[in-house]
């Protein structure tokens, strides 16, 4: 999370610098038509390969994409796969599965002439199919005559599903022509899930960690993507409309 917050600050500073430079030339360019690109943007979440390298017991990847529908709205989707080993004092398990998230983004950032950055607010519907493997568990007791005993009885629970809604806030910055770096923060709310008998889902692919005391979860991501322009539109400037 510290890496995500640091990158968020860097991208925000970069966007602000671009805005200041573009504003200086705004008056000179008021009469020039603004060309807006419409197309498919595809890429990958960099946080998951990084976690795969740095975090023991985790592997995952995610493909992202969006398509510009109107001036401000984008249809968006994410597809991914995750595996997570969960080791705690009283239980150890493994989770693996795939997920999809579908929804839209709204660009709340008003670009100056020649800029293609975005500050987005979006909603997603998330769906995951996965399996849980219970490796071992410990029976808790506070009776000193019966010490805690770890039971090794591997069990596999397949065909599990989970559904959730997700609010996502992000920043996209065009670092090269049609090439973007982005970062996002996610707030998730579980809608439904299948739970194994006498066990719980400690981790859900695409949703992340679950909590006994809350139906909410969080997440983050930072990604690289490339825009494939399909067509362009002229957007008149304020000076032209006057």
């Amino acid at each position: 999370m510290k890496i995500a917050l640091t990158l968020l600050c860097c991208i925000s500073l970069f966007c602000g610098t671009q805005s200041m430079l573009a504003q200086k030339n705004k008056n000179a360019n008021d009469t020039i038509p603004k060309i807006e690109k419409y197309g498919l943007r595809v890429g990958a979440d960099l946080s998951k390969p990084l976690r795969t390298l740095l975090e023991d017991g985790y592997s995952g990847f995610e493909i992202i994409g969006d398509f510009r529908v109107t001036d401000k709205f984008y249809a968006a989707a994410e597809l991914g796969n995750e595996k997570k080993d969960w080791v705690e004092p009283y239980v150890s398990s493994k989770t693996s599965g795939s997920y999809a998230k579908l929804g839209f983004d709204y660009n709340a950032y008003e670009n100056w002439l020649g800029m293609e950055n975005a500050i987005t607010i979006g909603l997603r519907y998330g769906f995951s199919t996965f399996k849980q493997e219970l490796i071992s568990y410990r029976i808790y007791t506070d009776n000193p005559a019966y010490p805690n005993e770890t039971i090794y009885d591997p069990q596999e629970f397949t065909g599990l599903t989970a559904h959730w809604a997700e609010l996502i806030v992000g920043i996209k910055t065009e670092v090269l022509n049609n090439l973007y770096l982005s970062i996002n923060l996610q707030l998730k709310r579980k809608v439904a899930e299948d739970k194994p008998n006498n066990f719980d889902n400690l981790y859900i692919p695409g949703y992340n960690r679950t909590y006994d005391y809350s139906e909410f979860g969080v997440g983050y991501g930072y990604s690289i993507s490339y825009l494939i322009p399909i067509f362009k539109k002229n957007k008149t400037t304020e000076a032209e409309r006057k």
Side-chain angles (χ1 to χ4, degrees):
M1 183 61 76
K2 290 182 179 179
I3 297 175
L5 293 176
T6 301
L7 185 58
L8 177 61
C9 293
C10 293
I11 292 179
S12 299
L13 180 60
F14 185 74
C15 289
T17 302
Q18 284 192 312
S19 297
M20 292 175 64
L21 293 175
Q23 189 171 12
K24 292 181 180 179
N25 297 322
K26 181 176 181 293
N27 293 333
N29 295 323
D30 273 343
T31 59
I32 302 176
K34 186 177 181 180
I35 306 299
E36 297 282 355
K37 300 176 184 178
Y38 285 71
L40 177 65
R41 183 163 40 201
V42 294
D45 188 334
L46 300 177
S47 66
K48 288 178 170 52
L50 186 59
R51 283 185 65 187
T52 300
L53 292 174
L54 300 178
E55 183 179 329
D56 292 337
Y58 175 87
S59 64
F61 69 89
E62 180 178 287
I63 299 172
I64 65 172
D66 65 55
F67 185 85
R68 190 173 186 177
V69 179
T70 67
D71 182 36
K72 292 291 186 179
F73 283 93
Y74 297 74
E78 294 87 30
L79 301 174
N81 182 277
E82 287 186 304
K83 296 179 181 179
K84 172 69 175 176
D85 295 346
W86 197 266
V87 180
E88 291 188 343
Y90 287 92
V91 64
S92 62
S93 65
K94 293 184 178 181
T95 303
S96 60
S98 302
Y99 63 90
K101 297 190 289 184
L102 304 173
F104 68 89
D105 288 329
Y106 172 79
N107 182 14
Y109 182 70
E110 186 64 37
N111 281 293
W112 297 113
L113 188 64
M115 296 174 61
E116 294 289 343
N117 299 322
I119 299 176
T120 59
I121 301 173
L123 292 176
R124 300 286 191 276
Y125 161 74
F127 174 76
S128 178
T129 60
F130 58 99
K131 69 176 181 179
Q132 299 277 15
E133 296 178 69
L134 176 61
I135 307 301
S136 65
Y137 59 93
R138 184 179 297 179
I139 299 176
Y140 174 78
T141 176
D142 56 3
N143 189 336
Y146 299 95
N148 294 335
E149 180 184 2
T150 300
I151 307 298
Y152 293 91
D153 181 22
Q155 301 177 53
E156 184 174 276
F157 307 93
T158 61
L160 304 174
T161 63
H163 306 254
W164 67 91
E166 183 173 304
L167 173 67
I168 180 169
V169 179
I171 296 176
K172 289 185 176 71
T173 301
E174 187 178 26
V175 293
L176 295 173
N177 186 35
N178 296 330
L179 184 67
Y180 294 80
L181 288 179
S182 62
I183 186 169
N184 65 75
L185 301 176
Q186 308 151 15
L187 177 63
K188 309 165 188 280
R189 171 61 160 85
K190 275 191 295 183
V191 176
E193 64 175 316
D194 297 328
K195 291 186 178 183
N197 293 330
N198 300 319
F199 189 44
D200 204 352
N201 295 316
L202 303 176
Y203 192 93
I204 298 174
Y207 181 88
N208 297 331
R209 180 178 178 177
T210 63
Y211 297 89
D212 293 336
Y213 53 84
S214 176
E215 293 296 315
F216 288 91
V218 295
Y220 67 92
Y222 37 95
S223 60
I224 185 170
S225 58
Y226 184 81
L227 173 65
I228 305 172
I230 297 177
F231 60 92
K232 299 180 179 179
K233 288 184 179 181
N234 289 339
K235 181 179 179 182
T236 57
T237 64
E238 186 68 25
E240 288 180 299
R241 287 194 293 269
K242 293 180 179 179

